[in-house]
């Protein structure tokens, strides 16, 4: 009996194992009267409202401050503070301005606070009918408490987890929770043992929908205690995983931070030891730190990702979190839900057995477009004289023994009612048999609705002689048949072996099989009962149906596999059906599909699961917690996991995955809010396009790093050596900030618009363990950094000795570096590579790159202002240059050409 002094430990109860009476007694309720007002009030105090708590998001001010929570920015903030302390307010303002610019860019581009928990709350908030104090009331679902008696009818959303105590032809759509593609028949019989949610037929779960019939249930769990609530808790407790890009940047930033602090400290200490003033050495240490920090890199990364977001949006993929762009490009495994993602989410008859013949049905979904033909024959070669009579009878039986209808909206067809019945109507329509016409020719007189305990439905129709049509499970129909229709529409003795072989043939294809039969009855009969169809039915045939795969999804799967990405199906559906769909789509290795069931996974330890998840192609009858465990197992093997899904049950796995992908049209709001990416066309094929864009983004990011870091390397080497040799600094800290932010952003952002390189999707995924700075890239950075050091140092010393003006010398050193950077930028861009190809092969094939040209022109214009405008001269301690000095600064462009060629040989650009 329910104790009303403290909450029940829900996890310790398996309500599907209790009888209806035990359930009522356990909750101290009354199935005829319901709870009293006093008892409801008491239980409110203990269990609270039937609604999920919404996790509050971070306030805007905190999200802005968190943008400064980066190791490399700490140095700039401290350096600016010391400069301000020393009275150098201009320097401090510029340094702080750089950090603020980075923070603003990050804040603007950051995704909005996640609303997944709020969406889960909506999933259990609805109006419901409840029995209280012998009165039937309509109340908000949030007012429910454990022990309430809830009444369900077709079209209702289940408001809480219920143990059913009465049912009448009750069916529930639990696809969002279990992954089942067809409604589940409900019963009240106790079930024993640990069974999956999909098999708990005496339970109704919050968030599912009643598609047919009526029922009554007692509330056994509300709010967090429901299955949806447990998913909510899992999502609340689990923090977002960082993506490969953010993890690599974090590691790179830490290493760089420690290196910069060490060098700056050593430089400061050695200078003091040599007798230099601490103010001069502090300026040198700050300049060294500022020069080594790639201040523009965070902004460039953010902008590059944002451009990738826009590109993906044009290809039906909406990115909710910026790092997901790069993560998708690095995906090594895609775990896909089956129903509605890889498949049409529409039942379709694909095979018919009638009159001893096997027929194939073309077309998909509920559209009447398609043909029926003998297996291995072309439809144009058959049925010139009309449909075979037995086939026609089989189709008519499915058409009339039916409570559903098809609805057309534009070019789209949908079913009003049961998906299985919709498939039967569509199959008949492909043979030009109209439901409306036959409803007039053979009007219904009576019906026996489908009940799970009988496993069939029957209808009585009026014609010259009244006739009964019946459909249901093969076992239920066959045992009531004594005859069957032969090939020439003659009645023959029933051959169970022949029918069993036909059933097995369909089952091998993963088809769900229904048997159809008829019975002639006495004239003037206007009603039927179960006893009327106990015997003497005439077997008409079988119809096998399946939720077929999307043709475009098949092509997308093959494209992903060609790109070296594994595709794995994770579904709550039957293992035979899932295996068949996987075989059709090519989701397998070496020609055979390796499938695991949920029960098998339950018995595995972590090591066995990790092995199974590597070997398996299909994982069927999977519970929500198992989906999450599968994703974690793949990640433990070093895989970059993309997870697709559309149901409530997919939300935790979507959140855990490196890139969670939800359906934007057909998916639940819960899944969409938990995901990193939405597919606006609900098409798996869009994932391939998104992967391609993700790979392009990573290639462009790599180009940006290859362009930015050599400048930092050259600057820091110049300042370090000058300080150690007690020479004048060739470049000041503010001038370094100008180069690293303004000039670098102007010239680097165009790289984000670079088109994809040829053969990108024929390359295998990059190694997830590959560091952000690979050995080849490091060699490139070192080589170009040495060139930049020689360039800055050489131009500065030459100009200082010839002009005697240290300000002019510093200005010329900076302008010479920028001129050389233009050549280097071209060498790693698609424009430069196409120019080289044109010159080498004497062809005219230059890739247009207007944004890159605009970036170079903008950089040149800014550099002219940098040296020629008096305001900039005062702010950055620069000096105007003469024409001769400008030409001198352009000379380093020539030696940069062979240097760039050497760098491309060391580390070829993509």
């Amino acid at each position: 009996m329910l104790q009303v002094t403290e909450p029940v430990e829900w996890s310790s109860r398996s309500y599907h194992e209790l009888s209806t009476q035990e359930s009522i007694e356990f909750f101290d309720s009354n199935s005829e009267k319901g709870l009293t007002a006093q008892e409801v009030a008491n239980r409110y105090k203990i269990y609270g409202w039937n609604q999920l708590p919404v996790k509050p998001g971070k306030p805007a001010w905190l999200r802005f401050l968190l943008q400064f929570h980066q190791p490399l920015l700490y140095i700039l903030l401290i350096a600016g503070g010391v400069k301000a302390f020393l009275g150098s307010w201009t320097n401090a303002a510029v340094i702080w301005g750089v950090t603020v610019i980075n923070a603003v860019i990050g804040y603007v581009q950051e995704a909005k606070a996640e609303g997944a928990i709020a969406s889960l709350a909506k999933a259990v908030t609805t109006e419901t009918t409840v029995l209280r104090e012998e009165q039937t009331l309509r109340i908000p679902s949030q007012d429910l408490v454990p022990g309430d008696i809830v009444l369900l009818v077709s079209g209702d959303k289940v408001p809480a987890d219920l143990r059913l105590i009465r049912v009448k032809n009750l069916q529930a759509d639990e696809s969002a929770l279990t992954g089942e593609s067809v409604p589940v028949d409900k019963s009240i019989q106790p079930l024993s043992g640990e069974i999956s949610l999909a098999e708990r037929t005496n339970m109704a779960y919050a968030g599912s929908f009643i598609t047919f019939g009526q029922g009554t249930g007692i509330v056994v769990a509300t709010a967090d205690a429901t299955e949806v609530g447990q998913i909510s808790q899992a999502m609340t407790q689990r923090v977002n995983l960082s993506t490969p890009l953010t993890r690599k940047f974090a590691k790179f930033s830490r290493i760089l931070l420690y290196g910069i602090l060490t060098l700056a400290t050593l430089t400061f200490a050695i200078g003091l030891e040599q007798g230099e003033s601490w103010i001069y050495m502090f300026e040198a240490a700050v300049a060294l730190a500022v020069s080594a920090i790639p201040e523009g890199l965070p902004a460039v990364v953010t902008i590059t990702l944002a451009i990738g977001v826009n590109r993906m949006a044009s290809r039906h993929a909406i990115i909710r979190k910026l790092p997901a762009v790069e993560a998708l490009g690095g995906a090594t495994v895609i775990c896909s839900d089956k129903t509605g993602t890889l498949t049409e989410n529409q039942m379709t008859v694909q095979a018919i057995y009638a009159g001893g013949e096997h027929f194939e049905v073309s077309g998909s979904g509920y559209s009447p477009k398609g043909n029926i033909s003998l297996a291995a024959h072309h439809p144009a070669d058959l049925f010139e004289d009309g449909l075979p009579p037995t086939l026609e009878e089989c189709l008519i039986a499915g058409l009339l023994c039916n409570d559903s209808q098809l609805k057309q909206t534009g070019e789209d067809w949908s079913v009003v009612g049961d998906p299985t019945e919709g498939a039967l109507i569509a199959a008949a329509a492909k043979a030009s048999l109209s439901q409306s016409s036959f409803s007039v020719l053979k009007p219904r007189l009576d019906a026996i609705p489908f009940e799970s305990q009988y496993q069939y439905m029957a209808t009585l129709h009026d014609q010259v002689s009244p006739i009964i049509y019946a459909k249901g499970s093969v076992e239920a129909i066959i045992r009531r048949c004594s005859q069957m229709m032969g090939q020439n529409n003659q009645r023959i003795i029933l051959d169970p072996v022949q029918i069993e072989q036909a059933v097995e043939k369909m089952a091998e294809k993963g088809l769900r099989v229904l048997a159809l039969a008829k019975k002639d009855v006495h004239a003037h009969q206007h009603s039927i009962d179960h006893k009327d169809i106990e015997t003497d039915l005439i077997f008409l045939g079988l119809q096998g149906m399946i939720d077929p795969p999307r043709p475009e999804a098949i092509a997308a799967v093959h494209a992903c596999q060609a790109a070296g990405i594994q595709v794995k199906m994770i579904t709550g559906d039957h293992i035979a059906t899932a295996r068949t769909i996987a075989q059709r789509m090519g989701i397998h290795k070496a020609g055979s599909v390796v499938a695991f069931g949920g029960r098998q996974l339950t018995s595995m330890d972590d090591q066995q699961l990790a092995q199974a998840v590597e070997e398996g192609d299909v994982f069927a009858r999977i519970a929500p917690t198992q989906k999450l465990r599968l994703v974690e197992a793949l990640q433990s093997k070093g895989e970059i996991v993309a997870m697709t899904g559309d149901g409530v049950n997919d939300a935790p796995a979507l959140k855990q995955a490196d890139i969670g992908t939800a359906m934007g049209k057909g998916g639940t709001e819960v899944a969409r809010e938990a995901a990193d990416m939405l597919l606006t066309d609900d098409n798996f094929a869009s994932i391939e396009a998104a992967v391609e864009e993700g790979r392009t983004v990573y290639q462009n990011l790599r180009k940006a790093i290859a362009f930015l870091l050599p400048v930092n390397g050259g600057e820091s080497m110049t300042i370090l050596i000058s300080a150690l040799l007690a020479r004048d600094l060739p470049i000041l800290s503010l001038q370094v900030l100008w180069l690293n932010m303004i000039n670098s952003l102007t010239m680097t952002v165009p790289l984000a618009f670079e088109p994809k390189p040829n053969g990108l999707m024929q390359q295998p995924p990059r190694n997830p363990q590959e560091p952000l700075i690979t050995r080849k890239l490091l060699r490139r950075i070192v080589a170009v950094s040495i060139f930049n050091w020689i360039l800055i140092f050489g131009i500065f010393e030459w100009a200082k000795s010839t002009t005697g003006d240290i300000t002019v010398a510093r200005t010329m050193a900076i302008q010479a570096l920028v001129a050389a950077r233009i050549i280097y930028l071209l060498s790693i861009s698609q424009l430069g590579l196409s120019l080289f190809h044109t010159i080498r092969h004497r062809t005219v094939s230059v890739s247009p790159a207007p944004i890159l040209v605009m970036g170079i022109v903008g950089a040149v214009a800014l550099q002219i202002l940098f040296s020629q405008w008096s305001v900039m001269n005062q702010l950055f301690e620069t000096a105007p240059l003469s024409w001769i000095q400008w030409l001198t600064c352009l000379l380093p462009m020539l030696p940069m050409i062979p240097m760039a060629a050497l760098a491309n040989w060391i580390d070829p650009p993509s």
Side-chain angles (χ1 to χ4, degrees):
M1 182 170 293
L2 179 65
Q3 301 297 316
V4 292
T5 58
E6 59 183 16
V8 172
E9 289 295 334
W10 305 109
S11 59
S12 67
R13 302 300 306 177
S14 297
Y15 295 109
H16 62 274
E17 297 187 71
L18 300 180
S19 68
T20 55
Q21 188 59 35
E22 288 173 333
S23 300
I24 295 168
E25 292 176 355
F26 179 78
F27 286 97
D28 195 17
S29 187
N30 188 309
S31 62
E32 302 300 327
K33 298 180 180 180
L35 297 175
T36 65
Q38 182 60 46
E39 189 60 37
V40 169
N42 290 340
R43 298 186 188 194
Y44 279 145
K45 295 177 183 178
I46 300 168
Y47 299 101
W49 300 103
N50 179 32
Q51 58 186 11
L52 302 180
V54 179
K55 184 180 180 181
K58 295 184 180 70
W61 63 268
L62 181 58
R63 284 187 280 124
F64 179 75
L65 290 180
L66 287 175
Q67 303 301 320
F68 295 93
H69 185 50
Q70 299 181 41
L72 296 181
L73 294 186
Y74 297 159
I75 299 177
L76 293 182
L77 291 171
I78 295 172
V82 175
K83 283 284 187 180
F85 177 77
L86 295 176
S88 301
W89 289 102
T90 300
N91 288 15
V94 173
I95 293 174
W96 285 339
V98 168
T99 62
V100 171
I101 290 173
N102 266 311
V104 170
I105 292 175
Y107 179 78
V108 171
Q109 294 292 352
E110 186 182 64
K112 294 180 180 180
E114 293 191 29
I117 307 302
S119 297
L120 280 165
K122 294 178 184 177
V124 294
T125 302
T126 185
E127 292 281 315
T128 189
T129 304
V130 65
L131 181 65
R132 286 180 179 172
E133 295 186 326
E134 300 184 74
Q135 293 185 353
T136 301
L137 306 174
R138 190 75 175 166
I139 65 172
S141 65
Q142 68 179 16
D143 292 347
L144 289 176
V145 294
D148 260 327
I149 305 299
V150 174
L151 309 180
L152 300 170
V153 295
S154 179
D156 282 352
K157 179 186 284 188
V158 180
D161 286 1
L162 310 176
R163 170 61 167 94
L164 298 172
I165 58 177
R166 283 190 291 270
V167 296
K168 184 177 181 181
N169 309 320
L170 189 67
Q171 294 181 345
D173 179 358
E174 299 177 342
S175 59
L177 188 64
T178 66
E180 283 282 4
S181 56
V182 295
V184 179
D185 297 319
K186 294 298 182 179
S187 67
I188 62 172
Q189 302 303 316
L191 302 169
S192 60
E194 289 294 327
I195 56 178
S196 66
L197 290 179
E199 296 171 324
R200 297 178 189 176
T201 55
N202 58 11
M203 300 288 295
Y205 292 104
S208 58
F209 291 88
I210 303 302
T211 59
F212 191 76
Q214 300 174 347
T216 302
I218 182 170
V219 176
V220 299
T222 58
D224 284 344
T226 63
E227 291 294 332
V228 171
Q230 291 173 16
I231 294 173
S232 169
Q233 289 178 323
M235 293 175 65
T236 303
Q237 294 166 0
R238 188 163 302 278
V239 298
N240 276 333
L241 279 187
S242 58
T243 67
L245 180 66
T246 58
R247 291 195 294 268
K248 291 173 183 177
F249 262 111
K251 183 177 180 181
F252 168 71
S253 297
R254 287 194 300 272
I255 294 173
L256 193 59
L257 174 63
Y258 299 148
I260 291 171
L261 290 176
T262 301
L263 282 177
T265 303
L266 285 175
T267 301
F268 184 77
I270 292 173
L272 292 179
E273 181 69 22
Q274 293 176 343
E276 296 290 338
S277 69
W278 73 270
I279 295 179
Y280 171 79
M281 291 312 302
F282 180 77
E283 168 65 27
V286 170
L288 176 62
V290 170
S291 66
I293 297 174
E295 292 90 355
L297 187 56
V300 168
V301 169
T302 303
I303 293 169
T304 304
L305 293 177
I307 292 169
V309 166
N310 292 331
R311 284 180 170 178
M312 288 184 178
S314 67
R315 303 183 74 172
H316 308 292
I318 304 298
I319 298 295
R320 298 181 66 246
K321 303 168 188 175
L322 282 182
V325 178
E326 180 274 338
L328 185 62
T332 59
V333 178
I334 297 177
C335 296
S336 176
D337 185 38
K338 179 184 74 67
T339 305
T341 306
L342 293 171
T343 64
E344 300 279 1
N345 199 19
Q346 296 181 337
M347 295 298 288
T348 304
V349 173
Q350 295 193 336
I352 300 175
Y353 173 79
E357 297 281 357
H358 290 273
F359 299 89
E360 294 178 348
V361 185
S362 63
S364 63
Y366 303 122
S367 170
K369 295 180 180 179
N371 296 286
I372 302 176
S373 62
L374 275 170
H377 286 75
H378 192 279
D381 300 332
L382 301 167
F383 311 150
E384 295 180 358
D385 299 324
L387 289 175
T390 308
L391 172 61
E392 185 174 25
E393 278 287 324
C394 182
L395 293 170
I396 292 173
L399 193 66
L400 294 179
C401 188
N402 200 306
D403 285 327
S404 301
Q405 292 180 327
L406 294 184
K407 178 183 178 182
Q408 184 179 15
T409 305
E411 296 295 322
D412 298 325
W413 288 80
S414 59
V415 62
V416 180
D418 184 79
T420 299
E421 292 188 334
L424 296 175
I425 300 171
K430 292 170 185 177
S432 301
L433 302 178
S434 167
Q435 187 182 35
S436 58
S437 299
F438 275 90
S439 296
V440 174
L441 292 172
K442 299 183 178 184
R444 181 188 293 190
L445 301 177
D446 197 13
I448 301 175
F450 180 89
E451 294 184 50
S452 57
Q453 66 187 93
Y454 292 105
Q455 292 293 311
Y456 64 76
M457 173 185 177
T459 54
L460 174 65
H461 297 268
D462 185 24
Q463 57 178 24
V464 178
S465 176
I467 187 172
I468 295 174
Y469 287 113
K471 77 172 189 296
S473 68
V474 176
E475 296 81 5
I477 296 297
I478 292 300
R479 69 168 176 262
R480 290 170 169 80
C481 295
S482 57
Q483 295 179 304
M484 60 186 293
M485 300 300 294
Q487 189 170 356
N488 297 318
N489 205 32
Q490 79 279 15
R491 299 182 182 183
I492 60 176
I493 300 297
L494 185 74
D495 185 352
V497 175
Q498 183 181 0
I499 295 173
E500 183 179 346
Q501 291 174 346
V503 171
E504 289 178 355
K505 185 174 181 179
M506 290 185 180
E508 289 174 356
K509 300 178 181 179
L511 302 182
R512 181 173 183 238
V513 184
L514 285 182
L516 299 107
K518 71 175 183 177
K519 181 179 181 180
D520 297 321
V521 295
H522 300 295
H524 309 299
Q525 183 172 341
H526 297 288
S527 63
I528 54 173
D529 199 352
H530 291 291
K531 61 180 176 18
D532 292 316
I533 55 172
E534 277 300 311
T535 59
D536 299 327
L537 292 185
I538 302 169
F539 176 76
L540 295 177
L542 308 169
Q543 294 198 41
M545 61 192 68
I546 199 170
D547 183 10
R550 297 173 182 260
E552 63 273 21
I554 296 175
V557 167
H558 293 166
C560 289
Q561 290 172 335
I565 303 171
Q566 300 179 62
V567 179
K568 297 179 185 292
M569 180 191 295
I570 301 179
T571 177
D573 217 335
H574 295 277
I575 192 168
T577 303
R579 183 185 282 113
T580 298
I581 295 294
Q583 190 69 45
R584 291 188 184 188
M585 302 196 72
I587 302 177
H588 53 70
K589 307 180 188 75
S592 61
V593 176
V594 178
F596 292 92
R599 290 186 178 180
Q600 289 176 273
L601 300 183
T602 302
S603 62
M604 295 180 181
D605 58 28
D606 291 343
Q607 185 175 355
Q608 291 171 325
L609 180 67
Q611 184 66 25
V613 80
E614 280 291 311
E615 297 175 355
D617 305 303
V618 171
F619 301 88
R621 287 296 194 193
I622 299 299
T625 54
Q626 289 178 317
K627 288 189 176 185
L628 185 60
R629 194 176 171 212
L630 286 171
V631 172
E632 290 174 331
L634 284 167
Q635 290 174 328
S636 72
K637 302 284 285 187
E639 304 286 1
I640 305 302
V641 183
M643 170 74 187
T644 72
D646 57 1
V648 174
N649 63 323
D650 297 320
L654 290 174
K655 195 173 181 69
Q656 172 68 26
D658 294 285
I659 170 70
T661 305
M663 304 299 110
K665 288 169 58 179
T668 61
E669 184 65 20
V670 177
R672 290 195 289 269
E673 290 296 335
D676 305 291
M677 181 177 79
L678 308 180
L679 300 183
T680 58
D681 57 355
D682 286 12
N683 195 335
F684 185 87
S686 297
I687 296 178
E688 177 205 350
V691 168
E692 183 179 80
E693 292 295 345
R695 289 188 173 190
T696 302
V697 164
Y698 188 81
Q699 296 288 358
N700 290 344
L701 280 177
R702 195 176 181 280
K703 290 179 182 178
I705 293 171
F707 179 72
L708 287 173
L709 293 190
V711 173
N712 295 98
E715 293 167 346
S716 55
M717 288 173 64
T718 300
I719 293 171
L720 175 63
I721 294 174
S722 298
L724 294 178
L725 296 179
R727 302 183 69 86
D728 293 324
L729 295 179
I731 187 169
L732 302 177
S733 57
L734 284 185
Q735 296 168 346
V736 168
L737 286 175
W738 169 271
L739 281 173
N740 290 357
M741 280 297 295
I742 307 303
N743 180 262
S744 289
L745 280 176
T746 307
M747 299 178 71
T748 310
V749 168
L751 291 175
F753 294 90
E754 288 276 279
K756 67 171 183 175
N758 295 329
L760 183 64
M761 287 301 286
Q762 279 68 54
Q763 300 174 10
R766 62 182 179 273
N767 184 352
Q769 306 304 319
E770 179 183 276
L772 185 65
I773 308 297
T774 63
R775 290 185 178 182
K776 287 185 176 181
L777 180 56
L778 181 60
R779 287 197 292 267
R780 166 192 280 270
I781 292 171
V782 170
V784 181
S785 295
I786 292 173
F787 177 87
N788 288 338
W789 164 64
I790 296 173
L791 171 62
I792 296 171
F793 202 83
I795 293 293
F796 171 76
E797 290 295 332
W798 177 84
K800 187 177 71 169
S801 63
T802 56
T803 65
D805 189 333
I806 192 171
T807 303
V808 170
R810 285 171 176 158
T811 305
M812 290 184 66
I814 293 170
Q815 301 294 32
L817 176 64
V818 171
R821 291 187 84 187
I822 293 174
I823 298 300
Y824 182 55
L825 175 66
L826 288 173
S827 73
I828 62 176
S829 67
Q830 294 287 350
L831 174 61
L833 293 175
S834 63
L835 281 171
F836 175 76
H837 186 272
T838 296
I839 295 171
R840 182 178 180 182
H841 297 279
R842 298 180 182 179
T843 60
V844 182
S845 176
V846 179
S847 299
I851 296 178
L852 185 69
V853 173
M854 290 171 58
I856 293 173
V857 171
V860 171
L862 287 171
Q863 288 307 123
I864 293 174
L865 291 175
F866 181 72
S867 63
Q868 307 303 116
W869 189 21
S870 58
V871 174
M872 301 294 279
N873 296 153
Q874 295 178 6
L875 185 62
F876 290 97
E877 298 184 41
T878 57
L881 301 181
S882 66
W883 285 108
I884 299 298
Q885 291 168 335
W886 271 107
L887 290 175
T888 303
C889 292
L890 296 180
L891 290 177
M893 298 176 73
L894 296 177
M896 176 53 84
I897 295 176
M899 183 65 243
L902 175 62
N904 286 352
W905 177 78
I906 293 173
D907 178 42
S910 299

